[in-house]
């Protein structure tokens, strides 16, 4: 995807140890301003890892360091239908749920619970799927106003749709004060039902 190409080009300039200050939006079509996710505080920046999986780069978040990237009111909000997708690896730390992506105000999210091997999509209602910790997973949450579906790899679950769409403040790597503990290679948000 576009993000992975961006991460790969950054890999050629990061020889030793780098942190990520800004995760750049590659599309920007639903933005009234830049939709880039950023954090100014150096201690709260996730690490850039050049060879995470299959020779590809990723962004590594450490929950203990409160690492998060924020998009603060730059993105345009849109109602359902929505689809949110992410590729991530959660280190076996069920004491902290965190998220690949979350909305700041409602805490809707695509991520994991604080239970071992349990991932969740929430757009007003929780939908859970079992997927092993310490493994890479592709997750997709879809809400179309009538129902919601959550897919992790080949597993899926269906639930009642919440009414939430996508707001204009969101985070990568955290939900509220719960921080992701693991790696992320991709986040994509669509205003359509897949």
């Amino acid at each position: 995807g576009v993000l992975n190409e961006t991460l790969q080009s950054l890999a050629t300039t990061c020889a030793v140890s780098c942190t990520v200050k800004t995760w750049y939006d590659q599309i920007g079509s639903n933005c009234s301003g830049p939709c880039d996710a950023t954090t100014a505080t150096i201690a709260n920046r996730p690490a850039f890892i050049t060879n995470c999986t299959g020779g590809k780069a990723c962004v590594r978040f450490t929950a203990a360091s409160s690492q998060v990237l924020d998009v603060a009111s730059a993105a345009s909000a849109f109602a359902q239908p929505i689809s949110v997708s992410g590729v991530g690896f959660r280190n076996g730390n069920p004491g902290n749920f965190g998220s690949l992506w979350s909305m700041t105000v409602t805490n809707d999210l695509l991520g994991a619970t604080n239970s071992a091997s349990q991932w969740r999509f929430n757009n007003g209602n929780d939908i859970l799927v079992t997927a092993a910790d310490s493994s890479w997973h592709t997750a997709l949450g879809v809400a179309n106003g009538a129902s919601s579906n959550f897919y992790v790899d080949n597993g899926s679950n269906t639930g009642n749709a919440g009414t939430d769409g996508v707001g204009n403040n969101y985070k990568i790597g955290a939900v509220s004060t719960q921080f992701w503990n693991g790696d992320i290679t991709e986040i994509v948000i669509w205003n359509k039902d897949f």
Side-chain angles (χ1 to χ4, degrees), residues 61-63 67-68 89-91 93-103 107-115 118-122 126 171-182 184:
F61 292 80
T62 304
Q67 294 171 339
V68 64
F89 177 103
R90 181 173 78 156
N91 289 332
N93 181 16
N96 191 358
F97 57 90
S99 73
L100 301 174
W101 168 87
S102 71
M103 289 191 342
N107 291 332
D108 292 353
L109 65 91
L110 178 71
T113 72
N114 60 354
S115 297
Q118 194 169 61
W119 287 59
R120 77 191 258 218
F121 172 60
N122 181 307
D126 264 342
K171 299 174 183 285
I172 296 173
V175 56
S176 186
T177 58
Q178 297 290 315
F179 299 93
W180 186 253
N181 196 47
I184 300 174

Side-chain angles (χ1 to χ4, degrees), residues 4 8 49-58 87 89 136 183 185:
N4 228 347
Q8 289 303 96
I49 308 298
T50 58
N51 188 6
C52 248
T53 177
K56 296 183 179 182
C58 73
V87 178
F89 177 103
W136 282 97
D183 303 335
T185 62

Side-chain angles (χ1 to χ4, degrees), residues 1-193:
V2 174
L3 173 64
N4 228 347
E5 291 166 14
T6 303
L7 290 177
Q8 289 303 96
S9 65
L10 180 57
T12 61
T13 62
C14 183
V16 182
S17 175
C18 294
T19 60
V20 177
K21 178 181 179 183
T22 304
W23 187 319
Y24 292 100
D25 172 51
Q26 298 297 307
I27 304 298
S29 58
N30 280 329
C31 297
S32 55
C35 286
D36 304 333
T38 188
T39 188
T41 307
I42 293 172
N44 298 120
R45 293 180 186 166
F48 176 76
I49 308 298
T50 58
N51 188 6
C52 248
T53 177
K56 296 183 179 182
C58 73
V59 179
R60 179 162 293 156
F61 292 80
T62 304
S65 299
S66 303
Q67 294 171 339
V68 64
L69 297 168
D70 287 300
V71 175
S73 66
S76 298
F78 50 88
Q80 291 187 25
I82 60 167
S83 296
V84 181
S85 173
V87 178
F89 177 103
R90 181 173 78 156
N91 289 332
N93 181 16
N96 191 358
F97 57 90
S99 73
L100 301 174
W101 168 87
S102 71
M103 289 191 342
T104 305
V105 176
T106 61
N107 291 332
D108 292 353
L109 65 91
L110 178 71
T113 72
N114 60 354
S115 297
S117 302
Q118 194 169 61
W119 287 59
R120 77 191 258 218
F121 172 60
N122 181 307
N123 74 311
N125 294 313
D126 264 342
I127 302 174
L128 306 175
V129 171
T130 300
D133 290 330
S134 301
S135 296
W136 282 97
H137 297 290
T138 300
L140 171 66
V142 179
N144 63 19
S147 65
S148 292
N149 293 295
F150 182 40
Y151 308 90
V152 177
D153 302 330
N154 293 323
S156 67
N157 201 353
T158 302
N160 296 326
T163 57
D164 299 340
V166 173
N168 59 5
N169 295 34
Y170 49 91
K171 299 174 183 285
I172 296 173
V175 56
S176 186
T177 58
Q178 297 290 315
F179 299 93
W180 186 253
N181 196 47
D183 303 335
I184 300 174
T185 62
E186 185 174 306
I187 298 290
V188 183
I189 304 166
W190 297 274
N191 59 347
K192 59 171 62 175
D193 177 355

